[in-house]
Amino acid sequence: MSSKSAALRFHNLLLLIARRLTFASGVVLLGVVAVTCLSILGRSLSGFLTSPFADTNFPTVANTLLALGIGPIRGDYELVEAGVAFCIAAFLPYCILTQSHAIVSVVTERLRPATQQALKLLADLLLAIGFTIIAIQLVSGTISKFLAGQTTFLLELPVWTAYALCSAGLMTSAICAWWLVIARLLETFGHDPIMADFREVDT
Amino acid sequence: MSDVAIGIAAFPVMLALILSRVPIGLAMFGTGFLGLVLITGDFSLPLARLKNETYTTFSNYSLSIIPMFLLMGNFAAQGGMSQALFKAAQSWIGHRRGGVAMATIGACAGFGAICGSSLATAATMGRVALPELKRYGYPPGFSAATIAAGGTLGILIPPSLVLVIYAILTEQNIAKLFVAAIVPGLIAVVGFTLAVAIYVRVNPEASGTQPRIAYAERMKSLAKVWPVVTVFALVVGGIYAGWFTPTEGAAVGALATGIIAWRSGGLDRRGLSSCFNATARTSAMIFFIILGAAFFNGFLALTGAPQQLAAWIELRDLNPYLVIVCLLIMYLLLGCVMDSLSMILLTIPIFWPILLGMDFAFVTMAELHAARFEDVVASGVKIAPDFLDQVQATIAAGAELTREQLRELGMRGVNDFALERINTERLAIWFGIMVLIVVEVGLVTPPIGMNIFIVGAMDRTIPVIGIYKAIWYFVASDLIRVVLLFAFPVLTLGFLSL
């Protein structure tokens, strides 16, 4: 194809954004892994330093290290929870654009192509509506958390920020879901294929 | 329409949506959402729930194990461990009849020990084993079937994502479920190996062998799989020993396989990106299904339909073992239209209360008394000799101790409540492992058979019909294993002490 259609270019742009978002949240996930592992390490170290063995053999060293703050990371669970929530929300656009949601196509693939296309369109439309409702309600939840000024238990981080990060992911997801509806409509009415079948490309 | 009727009617609606290609998570979510609207009369309740439920589901600490286990498996795939495992298994048994296929099963089992997902195991091992099987002249259909079946070991051998979800739904200890799956997992390896042996005897032309390899060489190949053994021992052992929570264990596993992948040079930007992408797609898919299932089950609980069903079954006074058989058969059938995780998420909240209402006597009160009595004796407490004789006689007769005897021995907390807790835990573990196996059968049988699709997609020249013809050997092995586990609960529960 010499010149890509506007629709294809837009699709690729969305895909690029989704991929970047996925990479960024992958890094966040790595951060979550690191925080968890460091916390385990700190916990075992502090357990060792407070043990009778350390207390009899090298009390000064042990106490100095403990005073320096060796121990489990404070609020590690909270960081894990907020981090993973963001990751999942930010993973969703990529999942939607690559049509990776679990589906059952045994029955439909025996139908006529036109019927199949109509059902796909219907499913896409339902998905877009579903994600729109979810995204809007999450934004509304974010606002309530903001107004309530709720903070997390240990770190006292404002809960609304975690909600807001999640909302961003879900709003992007909703946009992607609506784009799929449009792309499907374009394809139905004779546009060149826009959505490559990712199920077959990268497994 | 009564609430219960709405609850019952929701099932066909949801199934119809799923069968018309609506994403499973969305079908559950939509049915649950509209169901809530129907029974409460307006949109306010479901909408209000959604304000927080998305975030609380995504941020659930127990569930955060999912992306980390997925990342761990993807790192493992990137780290070339599948190659090392296959080479090692091949060097030990490759020269036997059907040996290369058996090596595939062995390597899948090894990979399953560091990967909690069936599809990832099938995909990763397929890349390594498929060309080798072809080289040694195995029929393509049989080769693909071997890998597809071997892939199911990924989820049976701990760590296992489906088992994690099951544990959360039934509020059981993940570590115990993991350990309980080890013996059934080993039986599966033996069973699949036997299936290969039988296949190559029925189809003698199917078995290519490789030359025998010297023991020095074999030892060398074995040495290369030590990271797999270490990671498995660290993660599963660490969780079981209580060094860390299951979620922390997943993080440790992800770090360990990440380091291995990085050292093997597989984690350049592209490799990292492909790990993230695979993790992203599966995690997002799973969490969307979890969100949908939570909505559907929340709606269902509100209709009272599950409680009615449980009460109805309890009234019938059915044989509990018969109920288990019926449920397992139902999972086999449901496996034809649904993936394993969706099935578990959808059905366990309904079936588990039913099973809880039934009487499964894995342990009797007399056995519990006997075990606790041994603890008392072992603790070295002084007991009057004639009283000791009296108690021992009671226990030898297989009877429960009397109230006076219990008081005299200072055995506290040995009551009906404790017994019920023990029996519930055993039931959950025993049933869970069997469910795990039957839902996996759906992954390798028509019409969906995701594992078969995955392997089939790697080499389009493999006739799907050929895969289905060969897969029955493995499915038969699966079914025999379920019967074994059903008949001998000790195979799953043997490691538990009283």
Side-chain angles (χ1 to χ4, degrees):
Chain A
M1 240 184 288
S2 51
S3 68
K4 286 179 181 168
S5 68
L8 195 59
R9 275 199 311 242
F10 185 69
H11 185 74
N12 287 340
L13 175 71
L14 273 186
L15 205 54
L16 184 72
I17 295 172
R19 281 217 177 95
R20 289 279 154 84
L21 208 51
T22 297
F23 195 84
S25 15
V27 174
V28 171
L29 188 60
L30 282 184
V32 167
V33 166
V35 164
T36 309
C37 291
L38 280 176
S39 193
I40 298 171
L41 196 67
R43 194 171 66 204
S44 354
L45 271 180
S46 78
F48 173 69
L49 293 175
T50 49
S51 67
F53 175 78
D55 207 35
T56 45
N57 291 304
F58 41 90
T60 347
V61 180
N63 287 330
T64 320
L65 284 175
L66 283 173
L68 281 173
I70 289 213
I73 294 174
R74 189 178 157 83
D76 55 342
Y77 278 35
E78 289 169 9
L79 291 173
V80 170
E81 287 180 352
V84 169
F86 167 71
C87 286
I88 302 300
F91 283 161
L92 272 166
Y94 186 66
C95 180
I96 290 175
L97 282 180
T98 54
Q99 302 178 57
S100 306
H101 283 303
I103 53 154
V104 175
S105 55
V106 210
V107 182
T108 50
E109 68 197 8
R110 272 155 225 207
L111 302 171
R112 281 190 329 212
T115 324
Q116 278 195 43
Q117 191 67 16
L119 281 174
K120 281 181 187 173
L121 198 56
L122 177 75
D124 286 341
L125 192 64
L126 289 176
L127 193 74
I129 295 172
F131 269 101
T132 309
I133 297 176
I134 295 174
I136 291 177
Q137 286 313 102
L138 189 60
V139 171
S140 137
T142 310
I143 296 169
S144 338
K145 292 286 168 196
F146 178 74
L147 294 177
Q150 193 181 332
T151 58
T152 61
F153 183 60
L154 285 171
L155 296 176
E156 297 183 1
L157 299 169
V159 175
W160 73 267
T161 46
Y163 268 69
L165 284 171
C166 249
S167 306
L170 274 158
M171 282 191 292
T172 318
S173 307
I175 293 170
C176 292
W178 280 111
W179 166 248
L180 279 198
V181 177
I182 297 168
R184 187 84 69 192
L185 269 174
L186 287 173
E187 282 184 359
T188 311
F189 294 104
H191 196 285
D192 290 332
I194 300 167
M195 301 170 280
D197 197 350
F198 278 90
R199 282 174 175 274
E200 294 187 13
V201 192
D202 57 27
T203 354
Chain B
M1 242 191 335
S2 72
D3 285 357
V4 175
I6 295 176
I8 294 169
F11 269 96
V13 172
M14 185 194 59
L15 273 180
L17 281 174
I18 289 175
L19 291 182
S20 26
R21 218 178 163 283
V22 171
I24 294 177
L26 181 69
M28 293 187 202
F29 172 77
T31 319
F33 189 92
L34 290 181
L36 280 173
V37 172
L38 271 180
I39 57 170
T40 57
D42 67 295
F43 283 86
S44 58
L45 177 76
L47 285 181
R49 266 190 76 170
L50 262 185
K51 278 186 172 188
N52 295 313
E53 189 149 332
T54 313
Y55 182 80
T56 49
T57 306
F58 288 5
S59 69
N60 182 308
Y61 183 75
S62 308
L63 291 178
S64 60
I65 193 173
I66 294 171
M68 292 201 247
F69 264 149
L70 286 170
L71 189 66
M72 170 182 169
N74 286 318
F75 277 158
Q78 204 72 21
M81 274 179 272
S82 45
Q83 193 84 35
L85 281 164
F86 186 70
K87 281 270 170 311
Q90 208 181 12
S91 75
W92 282 88
I93 49 174
H95 57 277
R96 290 174 189 273
R97 213 163 163 196
V100 185
M102 291 174 184
T104 307
I105 298 291
C108 282
F111 196 74
I114 46 170
C115 177
S117 124
S118 210
L119 293 180
T121 307
T124 312
M125 289 315 305
R127 247 171 269 143
V128 178
L130 209 51
E132 288 291 297
L133 287 162
K134 201 176 194 174
R135 190 149 73 94
Y136 288 104
Y138 288 82
F142 171 66
S143 308
T146 308
I147 296 162
T152 63
L153 293 172
I155 221 151
L156 184 56
I157 294 179
S160 156
L161 274 183
V162 176
L163 220 45
V164 167
I165 301 283
Y166 176 86
I168 294 171
L169 290 173
T170 55
E171 297 171 340
Q172 295 299 317
N173 182 323
I174 293 178
K176 284 186 182 170
L177 273 159
F178 277 1
V179 175
I182 291 179
V183 172
L186 293 177
I187 298 177
V189 175
V190 174
F192 284 166
T193 310
L194 283 177
V196 171
I198 293 170
Y199 182 89
V200 294
R201 272 164 186 75
V202 175
N203 308 278
E205 77 290 350
S207 57
T209 51
Q210 60 171 59
R212 192 178 269 276
I213 286 171
Y215 274 93
E217 205 54 31
R218 295 186 193 185
M219 285 302 172
K220 226 187 260 173
S221 73
L222 209 54
K224 285 202 181 124
V225 300
W226 72 266
V228 176
V229 181
T230 316
V231 172
F232 175 76
L234 187 67
V235 173
V236 176
I239 295 173
Y240 188 67
W243 294 339
F244 29 73
T245 65
T247 305
E248 288 171 344
V252 170
L255 180 75
T257 53
I259 290 173
I260 294 166
W262 175 61
R263 290 195 33 144
S264 77
L267 274 198
D268 49 1
R269 181 163 166 141
R270 253 190 82 198
L272 194 61
S273 190
S274 91
C275 283
F276 287 165
N277 286 350
T279 308
R281 290 170 36 173
T282 319
S283 312
M285 177 196 93
I286 292 177
F287 271 84
F288 189 48
I289 294 175
I290 292 175
L291 184 67
F295 242 77
F296 187 78
N297 286 319
F299 146 72
L300 214 55
L302 216 56
T303 65
Q307 295 89 318
Q308 292 256 340
L309 181 68
W312 186 82
I313 288 178
E314 205 162 340
L315 264 182
R316 293 294 168 287
D317 205 18
L318 300 169
N319 180 330
Y321 293 93
L322 189 69
V323 173
I324 294 251
V325 172
C326 291
L327 291 183
L328 292 177
I329 291 174
M330 203 221 59
Y331 276 113
L332 277 178
L333 296 177
L334 206 57
C336 294
V337 291
M338 258 195 197
D339 69 284
S340 37
L341 208 66
S342 309
M343 268 196 279
I344 299 267
L345 279 164
L346 194 64
T347 57
I348 292 298
I350 303 170
F351 293 156
W352 182 234
I354 295 178
L355 290 178
L356 274 182
M358 299 188 149
D359 197 18
F360 287 91
F362 291 100
V363 178
T364 62
M365 191 53 111
E367 283 167 335
L368 185 60
H369 282 170
R372 287 289 171 276
F373 171 65
E374 270 174 38
D375 293 346
V376 173
V377 174
S379 70
V381 177
K382 283 234 179 337
I383 307 171
D386 56 333
F387 178 63
L388 187 68
D389 287 344
Q390 185 205 338
V391 172
Q392 273 167 342
T394 319
I395 284 172
E400 294 175 18
L401 300 179
T402 63
R403 203 176 274 249
E404 287 72 32
Q405 287 172 327
L406 288 176
R407 192 168 337 118
E408 191 80 13
L409 286 164
M411 279 160 53
R412 251 179 264 152
V414 195
N415 48 23
D416 286 340
F417 182 70
L419 184 69
E420 195 185 315
R421 216 189 46 215
I422 290 172
N423 276 326
T424 302
E425 180 181 84
R426 285 176 190 229
L427 172 64
I429 293 176
W430 181 60
F431 181 63
I433 302 294
M434 288 192 295
V435 168
L436 189 64
I437 297 168
V438 287
V439 297
E440 287 304 287
V441 171
L443 280 176
V444 294
T445 48
I448 358 182
M450 274 311 288
N451 274 16
I452 288 182
F453 287 170
I454 292 267
V455 183
M458 285 178 196
D459 183 350
R460 292 266 166 224
T461 60
I462 301 177
V464 177
I465 268 298
I467 309 181
Y468 284 143
K469 269 187 190 152
I471 201 75
W472 292 111
Y473 290 83
F474 298 100
V475 172
S477 153
D478 272 329
L479 296 180
I480 292 170
R481 175 157 25 96
V482 175
V483 173
L484 268 178
L485 295 181
F486 180 80
F488 305 103
V490 67
L491 291 173
T492 345
L493 303 175
F495 77 99
L496 287 167
S497 57
L498 268 176

